[in-house]
């Protein structure tokens, strides 16, 4: 077995099946050559219909999805995969706008890579996402399924949040992930980089405000006064802290 077949934790990537969804033949061919040489099994399709058909008939470990597919909404495809396929997705696209990045992560992508990209960086991100995906069942089994705070009931398994009134509070994938990190690290200051690493397995960039946007949206849903938050507090120059008492069930 060659050095690139396992990571530092001994997780094997040999023959992990990657599906590239991109109508750019040159980019698809480049990814096939490079990633095949790294020990991955590769499949390539050029549209969402073929993607869904292949996912229904074969086992795929990770999807590399271009947003700019002709006649299709890549973000809606990402949302569909998150809701119905549940496997890891890395968006690989020429759309580098910060809004697209934020929305892409919010609708369920595990990472977001812009073209042109460095092949070695993309490989590192693929391995990071596969590692996190492999670790999820173990983490889920070891942590409590329900958290209570400020009258709220937060169920991890069903990904539901119930308000003190008994009403359900709808959460996007990004909001759920952020709240999960905050309540499981209650009363501890978390920097933006720590939050980005927990959520997406990477540090935040100098212009990456995805965490701040998600914080603002989450505050509007759970704070009695989002302008003067008492649950998710900002710590100047340090990050954020979830300051309420959290009880585990």
């Amino acid at each position: 077995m060659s050095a690139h077949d396992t990571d530092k934790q001994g997780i094997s990537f040999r023959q992990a099946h990657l599906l590239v969804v991109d109508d750019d033949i040159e980019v698809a061919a480049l990814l096939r050559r490079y990633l095949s040489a790294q020990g991955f099994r590769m499949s390539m399709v050029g549209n969402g219909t073929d993607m869904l058909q292949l996912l229904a008939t074969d086992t795929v470990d990770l999807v590399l999805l271009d947003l700019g597919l002709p006649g299709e909404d890549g973000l809606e495809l990402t949302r569909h995969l998150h809701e119905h396929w549940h496997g890891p997705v890395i968006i690989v696209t020429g759309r580098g706008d910060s809004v697209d990045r934020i929305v892409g992560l919010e609708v369920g992508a595990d990472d977001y890579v812009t073209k042109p990209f460095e092949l070695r960086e993309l490989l590192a991100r693929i391995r990071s996402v596969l590692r996190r995906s492999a670790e999820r069942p173990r983490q889920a089994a070891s942590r409590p399924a329900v958290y209570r705070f400020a009258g709220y009931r937060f169920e991890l398994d069903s990904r539901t949040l119930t308000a003190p009134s008994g009403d359900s509070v709808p959460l996007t994938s990004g909001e759920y992930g952020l709240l999960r990190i905050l309540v499981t690290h209650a009363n501890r200051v978390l920097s933006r980089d720590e939050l980005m690493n927990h959520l997406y397995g990477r540090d935040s960039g100098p212009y990456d405000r995805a965490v701040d946007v998600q914080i603002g949206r989450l505050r509007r849903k759970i704070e009695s006064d989002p302008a003067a938050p008492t649950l998710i507090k900002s710590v100047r120059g340090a990050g954020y802290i979830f300051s309420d008492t959290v009880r585990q069930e």
Side-chain angles (χ1 to χ4, degrees), residues 2-139:
S2 62
H4 60 245
D5 290 333
T6 58
D7 76 345
K8 294 179 180 179
Q9 287 72 40
I11 297 172
S12 176
F13 298 120
R14 167 60 67 183
Q15 287 301 299
H17 186 191
L18 310 185
L19 172 59
V20 175
V21 187
D22 198 319
D23 66 315
D24 188 320
I25 297 175
E26 293 184 0
V27 170
L30 174 65
L31 291 175
R32 181 195 289 275
R33 288 194 303 271
Y34 180 74
L35 294 173
S36 293
Q38 305 305 314
F40 295 104
R41 180 162 74 94
M42 302 299 299
S43 292
M44 332 295 290
V45 297
N47 58 70
T49 300
D50 290 345
M51 174 190 74
L52 295 176
Q53 182 176 356
L54 191 146
L55 290 175
T57 58
D58 201 349
T59 299
V60 173
D61 297 292
L62 184 145
V63 172
L64 299 168
L65 176 64
D66 180 29
L67 293 185
L69 301 174
E72 297 180 286
D73 187 334
L75 292 173
E76 281 303 314
L77 288 176
T78 304
R79 187 193 305 275
H80 180 87
L81 291 175
H82 178 70
E83 293 177 351
H84 300 284
W85 180 58
H86 307 301
V89 177
I90 297 178
I91 291 174
V92 183
T93 181
R95 289 160 58 173
D97 186 270
S98 60
V99 173
D100 285 329
R101 179 188 298 272
I102 290 168
V103 174
L105 295 173
E106 185 175 73
V107 298
D110 293 82
D111 207 343
Y112 193 107
V113 178
T114 55
K115 301 175 183 177
F117 49 80
E118 291 289 338
L119 287 170
R120 291 181 63 182
E121 179 185 356
L122 178 62
L123 175 63
R125 295 197 180 200
I126 289 170
R127 287 176 168 169
S128 175
V129 169
L130 286 174
R131 185 182 307 115
R132 299 202 313 272
S133 179
E135 291 172 348
R136 282 171 190 163
R138 180 169 67 252
Q139 292 172 345

